[in-house]
Amino acid sequence: MFDSNENDPISPALRALLELFATELSEVRFPDVDAEVLDDASAVVREKAMAVARAQAALDAARLALHESQDVLLQKGQRALAYARVFSEENAELSAKLEGINLPRSTRKGVRTEGAAAEPVSAAPGNDENAPRRRGRPPKVRPATGASLFADGASPEALAAHAHETGNGVLPTA
């Protein structure tokens, strides 16, 4: 996992030094330091980095699970608040307390909770994929600006000549 240079927990300068001790200085021994000691220390660093990566993945998974459970609680809270508002219509004091509670909207789309149907969640503004289908008749297709009324090929002069020849003022059909 940390073999590539960009993910290696060992700096490029230390990697260069380790390479020198593995090749040209492999036979050189200093007090407390030689190629084997440096290799062992680098293995420990990589092992600790792997432990950090596993812990980070576990933390990310735990955060996701927390977010999902918070969202489920929020959806249940919204439903409970709606029921309580209907229930408290006759009780002005309880109704006033409930009106002071404003829950945020859920960020998830339709989570099923314990076999119940999910409540619809409104789509984000400006998102055409999730927008409700428009009702009614589709708008008329208008000709582009500057387009001729005689798009079928007949010019106004030819139409006028035809009307004059026939004498009836009826335009020819295509």
Side-chain angles (χ1 to χ4, degrees), residues 49-72:
M50 290 291 287
V52 167
R54 285 190 296 271
Q56 183 66 44
L59 177 62
D60 291 344
R63 281 189 177 142
L64 180 62
L66 171 63
H67 179 71
E68 288 174 353
S69 63
Q70 285 174 327
D71 200 52
V72 168

Side-chain angles (χ1 to χ4, degrees), residues 113-161:
T113 57
E114 301 169 359
E119 292 183 35
V121 177
S122 63
N127 189 351
D128 290 338
E129 290 178 7
N130 297 330
R133 185 176 162 109
R134 290 187 63 187
R135 297 182 60 178
R137 192 173 187 177
K140 280 186 175 179
V141 177
R142 306 247 183 227
T145 55
S148 172
L149 293 175
F150 307 102
D152 61 355
S155 68
E157 294 80 20
L159 289 175

